[in-house]
Amino acid sequence: MPSRHWDKILIAVACCVVTLTLWSLCAWQLIIKFHTEITETVVPPCFCHNGGICQDGACVCPDEWIGLLCDIVNFCEASTYTYNNSEGDIKNLTFERIIVGKYGSSNEKCEPHTANGNSSIAIRLCSRNGIIPTLEEPSVQNCNENLDSLASQVETAESSVVLEIAKTTQILTAVPDQLTTQNISAAMNISVQILKKPNISDDAQASNTVVATVSQLLDAKEMEFSSDLVNVTSSLTKTIEEFSLMSNITQTNIAVQSVPLMLNSSAILFLAQRDETAGNYQTTKLEIQKNATGLNDELSTEVQILLNITRNSSSINRRAGFVLYQNDKLFQSKTYSSHSNFSKQIVSGNIDGGTASGVEIAFNPKYNTSKFLLHDYACVFWDYAVNDWNTAGCTKEKGQVLRCKCNHTTHFAVLMAFRINYKYAKPLECISYVGVGLSIAGLVITILFQIFTRKTRKSSVTWMLVSLCSSMLTFNIIFISGIENQNARNHSSNTSGSEQQYSTYYTTNNTLLKSDLVDPPADSWCMAVAVLLHYFLLATFMWTALNCAQLYLLLIRAMKPLPGNFIVTMSAIGWGIPAVVVAVTLGATYREGKALNYRQEEFCWLAALDQDQNFSIKKPMLWSFLLPVALILLFNIIIFIKIIVSVIWKENKDLTRNKKDSFMGKITSTISVVVVLGITWTTGYFMLINQEETSLVFSYVFCILNATQGIQICILYTFRSPIFKKKVSKMSSALKMPEISVYLHSQIYHVSKLRPVKYFRETFRSFETENISFSTLSDSY
């Protein structure tokens, strides 16, 4: 058998070995991945009903449904109520579906010409009788009264009128989303005036109505609680604190509890627990324990406050009162900013006829632990002197929940700071190391070959190919050495365990926090890596486009001279445009302390997702990388199609049979163009498919095709070169690499007609025939 045939077999075997090795690594990684997922603890499915979502083995239900499987009704159906109005006419009031614990507004509105024009005439409460939702009778308002007019009347109103004012105020605040700052201010003033009325606690209906109004105000938009409301909110919270000594009222967003003190009482504990014993739905159970020995250790306890009593008066009317707010809208801080809807409960204790030596508080806040990590917290109380949070006299205590000790008895809270629980990228897999390692070796060989064989090839260095390989080589080196964020190394120690959750992530110093969200530790190295990767990958794509333009000029427009200063122009474009894109991106996104506007935290690359882990068009990944690369790939694909149709696969009847390209030769030439133009990178866009299995398959295909792009270029543009084969043949006569030529024309072309033929008369000849080979195209500069 001829030696030339054996050479082809050896080359084919070598390529098959490399390909099979990479695909075997891919299959191995897939098997390990799926085996790990199967052997891990399997969370049983939830089988949620009625639109419930299964998260961590439990159903997260919509507002209309509750229960373990979201199968218990939590609403009252649409209803109609018939009543006699003030004029004695019979009217119907219609209500839409109402969530349990909420008030629904009637579809009927007040006449436009009235003081409350276009507001609902009545509201109706949906409560729960056992597990059955029940509608209460509607409360009908006076359409000729509004909040401002009620506020002017309430201070001098007789006891018989107070209830009607309270009911009308509640109706007018029944749609919290529509309340303005002025509405909130007027409603708060009305509530303060009513709660200050003598013996108001004896009027249970009026008291409940006022507290229900305050609960509705706590559902108003956060932005409406401006600094203009500081005085009225302070007055309201102080009034409710005094009112807590006399009443027991529980509403959705506020609870007021009172208890008499015994002569021998030494400590009293107020706690709110999540209760799942009454039916299959979760509620909050309030409890007060007299002569408590300490805080409750049960993790189901959301909030608790322990008052240590040192002295009781001889009065028989000693009482303790507690207030629990479900959010902090009445406590607008000037120093602590909130950007999330985390639980921010406020609890207050008050003693009448006694003195508290100290207060112990514990909070067990609920938040999405899979998305956020507790970074730190501060024990604070509301300082009415400055109308802001203060840490003086409060200290932290370690435990399974957030524990504090304070010397005050007024409104307490824990201000929490969270970090996003970033899913840091795992270290590179074997397939990445092998592929990128082979590419680096292949690119180095290609660059050195192009440089050191310049005289042998009797032409200048192929600047276009060398530039492409240089940018790709630099990108691969930076990628394999710096893509992993250094913060990921510290992440594994801050993971599981509720005890670790509350005893590890915070400092012992009780300092006032500035925000509820903190950025991860700054990593200037990761920022530099992201910038360099961005630049060199864009430069790589830009050089593929320029190589594409070069092929077009050489093959399609072979009879025309190249433009003047071609290399200088191409160099300015290839290295300059990516630099401009990176500079503009940095200028538009990067700010001091806001590096994540430009890069990701999971690994050192461009930012793509928003805080909710959704792809964002505002992030630079889209407009500074995906779109430019898409345009380059589209250009490359168009030219690629033109080349394969007009040159590679074109049938030329004028050629004799022995000069016609073989099928394998055409395939090889096509692959050569695909590799150098980077068309395989289009598989990366298929990774965006929102389907895990499909995305995973394309991820491995993308990894194999592109991680090995450097070695592919080396095989197709260096190992196949006749000069390289001759050099290798001198070293080992056993290895001979055949040339696979793509015959284009049996003529001689001049690259340039503007310079002396003696220096620039380049012939597109094979070293054995008069025909051009794709392996020699790169030698034309």
PDB file of all heavy atoms in Angstrom, residues 553 557-563 750-754:
ATOM      1  N   LEU A 553     -12.116  38.818  -0.319  1.00  0.00           N
ATOM      2  CA  LEU A 553     -11.325  39.576  -1.277  1.00  0.00           C
ATOM      3  C   LEU A 553     -10.405  38.668  -2.083  1.00  0.00           C
ATOM      4  O   LEU A 553     -10.177  38.887  -3.282  1.00  0.00           O
ATOM      5  CB  LEU A 553     -10.503  40.646  -0.549  1.00  0.00           C
ATOM      6  CG  LEU A 553     -11.305  41.771   0.113  1.00  0.00           C
ATOM      7  CD1 LEU A 553     -10.384  42.672   0.915  1.00  0.00           C
ATOM      8  CD2 LEU A 553     -12.065  42.582  -0.922  1.00  0.00           C
ATOM      9  N   ARG A 557     -13.091  38.169  -5.172  1.00  0.00           N
ATOM     10  CA  ARG A 557     -12.616  39.302  -5.967  1.00  0.00           C
ATOM     11  C   ARG A 557     -11.113  39.158  -6.229  1.00  0.00           C
ATOM     12  O   ARG A 557     -10.334  40.083  -6.024  1.00  0.00           O
ATOM     13  CB  ARG A 557     -12.908  40.602  -5.237  1.00  0.00           C
ATOM     14  CG  ARG A 557     -14.388  40.789  -4.904  1.00  0.00           C
ATOM     15  CD  ARG A 557     -14.607  42.088  -4.147  1.00  0.00           C
ATOM     16  NE  ARG A 557     -14.273  43.228  -4.968  1.00  0.00           N
ATOM     17  CZ  ARG A 557     -13.704  44.339  -4.486  1.00  0.00           C
ATOM     18  NH1 ARG A 557     -13.375  44.413  -3.205  1.00  0.00           N
ATOM     19  NH2 ARG A 557     -13.435  45.349  -5.285  1.00  0.00           N
ATOM     20  N   ALA A 558     -10.727  37.967  -6.657  1.00  0.00           N
ATOM     21  CA  ALA A 558      -9.302  37.657  -6.765  1.00  0.00           C
ATOM     22  C   ALA A 558      -8.579  38.506  -7.812  1.00  0.00           C
ATOM     23  O   ALA A 558      -7.378  38.731  -7.715  1.00  0.00           O
ATOM     24  CB  ALA A 558      -9.125  36.173  -7.090  1.00  0.00           C
ATOM     25  N   MET A 559      -9.267  38.984  -8.830  1.00  0.00           N
ATOM     26  CA  MET A 559      -8.635  39.749  -9.901  1.00  0.00           C
ATOM     27  C   MET A 559      -8.423  41.206  -9.547  1.00  0.00           C
ATOM     28  O   MET A 559      -7.760  41.931 -10.271  1.00  0.00           O
ATOM     29  CB  MET A 559      -9.483  39.656 -11.175  1.00  0.00           C
ATOM     30  CG  MET A 559      -9.659  38.229 -11.700  1.00  0.00           C
ATOM     31  SD  MET A 559      -8.081  37.465 -12.109  1.00  0.00           S
ATOM     32  CE  MET A 559      -7.540  38.538 -13.452  1.00  0.00           C
ATOM     33  N   LYS A 560      -8.995  41.666  -8.418  1.00  0.00           N
ATOM     34  CA  LYS A 560      -8.889  43.081  -8.055  1.00  0.00           C
ATOM     35  C   LYS A 560      -7.845  43.256  -6.961  1.00  0.00           C
ATOM     36  O   LYS A 560      -7.711  42.400  -6.081  1.00  0.00           O
ATOM     37  CB  LYS A 560     -10.238  43.607  -7.576  1.00  0.00           C
ATOM     38  CG  LYS A 560     -11.312  43.564  -8.657  1.00  0.00           C
ATOM     39  CD  LYS A 560     -12.610  44.133  -8.130  1.00  0.00           C
ATOM     40  CE  LYS A 560     -13.694  44.092  -9.209  1.00  0.00           C
ATOM     41  NZ  LYS A 560     -14.984  44.643  -8.722  1.00  0.00           N
ATOM     42  N   PRO A 561      -7.099  44.364  -7.000  1.00  0.00           N
ATOM     43  CA  PRO A 561      -6.076  44.590  -5.962  1.00  0.00           C
ATOM     44  C   PRO A 561      -6.724  44.893  -4.616  1.00  0.00           C
ATOM     45  O   PRO A 561      -7.851  45.385  -4.543  1.00  0.00           O
ATOM     46  CB  PRO A 561      -5.306  45.802  -6.501  1.00  0.00           C
ATOM     47  CG  PRO A 561      -6.301  46.534  -7.336  1.00  0.00           C
ATOM     48  CD  PRO A 561      -7.145  45.465  -7.993  1.00  0.00           C
ATOM     49  N   LEU A 562      -5.974  44.586  -3.540  1.00  0.00           N
ATOM     50  CA  LEU A 562      -6.461  44.891  -2.199  1.00  0.00           C
ATOM     51  C   LEU A 562      -6.383  46.391  -1.951  1.00  0.00           C
ATOM     52  O   LEU A 562      -5.560  47.084  -2.560  1.00  0.00           O
ATOM     53  CB  LEU A 562      -5.630  44.150  -1.157  1.00  0.00           C
ATOM     54  CG  LEU A 562      -5.768  42.627  -1.158  1.00  0.00           C
ATOM     55  CD1 LEU A 562      -4.791  42.023  -0.163  1.00  0.00           C
ATOM     56  CD2 LEU A 562      -7.191  42.224  -0.815  1.00  0.00           C
ATOM     57  N   PRO A 563      -7.218  46.907  -1.063  1.00  0.00           N
ATOM     58  CA  PRO A 563      -7.176  48.343  -0.757  1.00  0.00           C
ATOM     59  C   PRO A 563      -5.818  48.741  -0.194  1.00  0.00           C
ATOM     60  O   PRO A 563      -5.099  47.921   0.401  1.00  0.00           O
ATOM     61  CB  PRO A 563      -8.284  48.507   0.296  1.00  0.00           C
ATOM     62  CG  PRO A 563      -9.169  47.321   0.113  1.00  0.00           C
ATOM     63  CD  PRO A 563      -8.285  46.206  -0.343  1.00  0.00           C
ATOM     64  N   HIS A 750      -2.195  37.737  -9.384  1.00  0.00           N
ATOM     65  CA  HIS A 750      -1.341  38.709  -8.698  1.00  0.00           C
ATOM     66  C   HIS A 750      -2.158  39.352  -7.586  1.00  0.00           C
ATOM     67  O   HIS A 750      -3.219  39.910  -7.839  1.00  0.00           O
ATOM     68  CB  HIS A 750      -0.847  39.782  -9.679  1.00  0.00           C
ATOM     69  CG  HIS A 750      -0.022  39.209 -10.793  1.00  0.00           C
ATOM     70  ND1 HIS A 750       1.322  38.916 -10.666  1.00  0.00           N
ATOM     71  CD2 HIS A 750      -0.373  38.846 -12.064  1.00  0.00           C
ATOM     72  CE1 HIS A 750       1.778  38.420 -11.813  1.00  0.00           C
ATOM     73  NE2 HIS A 750       0.756  38.366 -12.676  1.00  0.00           N
ATOM     74  N   VAL A 751      -1.631  39.308  -6.362  1.00  0.00           N
ATOM     75  CA  VAL A 751      -2.327  39.913  -5.243  1.00  0.00           C
ATOM     76  C   VAL A 751      -2.333  41.420  -5.385  1.00  0.00           C
ATOM     77  O   VAL A 751      -3.312  42.095  -5.110  1.00  0.00           O
ATOM     78  CB  VAL A 751      -1.663  39.509  -3.903  1.00  0.00           C
ATOM     79  CG1 VAL A 751      -2.282  40.278  -2.756  1.00  0.00           C
ATOM     80  CG2 VAL A 751      -1.817  38.024  -3.685  1.00  0.00           C
ATOM     81  N   SER A 752      -1.262  41.988  -5.814  1.00  0.00           N
ATOM     82  CA  SER A 752      -1.194  43.427  -5.948  1.00  0.00           C
ATOM     83  C   SER A 752      -0.587  43.776  -7.293  1.00  0.00           C
ATOM     84  O   SER A 752       0.404  43.188  -7.717  1.00  0.00           O
ATOM     85  CB  SER A 752      -0.341  44.025  -4.812  1.00  0.00           C
ATOM     86  OG  SER A 752      -0.158  45.392  -5.018  1.00  0.00           O
ATOM     87  N   LYS A 753      -1.198  44.744  -7.935  1.00  0.00           N
ATOM     88  CA  LYS A 753      -0.660  45.237  -9.197  1.00  0.00           C
ATOM     89  C   LYS A 753       0.016  46.595  -9.014  1.00  0.00           C
ATOM     90  O   LYS A 753       0.439  47.213  -9.960  1.00  0.00           O
ATOM     91  CB  LYS A 753      -1.780  45.356 -10.228  1.00  0.00           C
ATOM     92  CG  LYS A 753      -2.423  44.021 -10.596  1.00  0.00           C
ATOM     93  CD  LYS A 753      -3.495  44.215 -11.641  1.00  0.00           C
ATOM     94  CE  LYS A 753      -4.143  42.892 -12.017  1.00  0.00           C
ATOM     95  NZ  LYS A 753      -5.210  43.057 -13.001  1.00  0.00           N
ATOM     96  N   LEU A 754       0.041  47.064  -7.752  1.00  0.00           N
ATOM     97  CA  LEU A 754       0.549  48.402  -7.493  1.00  0.00           C
ATOM     98  C   LEU A 754       2.019  48.386  -7.096  1.00  0.00           C
ATOM     99  O   LEU A 754       2.608  49.429  -6.906  1.00  0.00           O
ATOM    100  CB  LEU A 754      -0.272  49.058  -6.384  1.00  0.00           C
ATOM    101  CG  LEU A 754      -1.776  49.151  -6.669  1.00  0.00           C
ATOM    102  CD1 LEU A 754      -2.485  49.787  -5.498  1.00  0.00           C
ATOM    103  CD2 LEU A 754      -2.006  49.965  -7.938  1.00  0.00           C
TER     104      LEU A 754
END
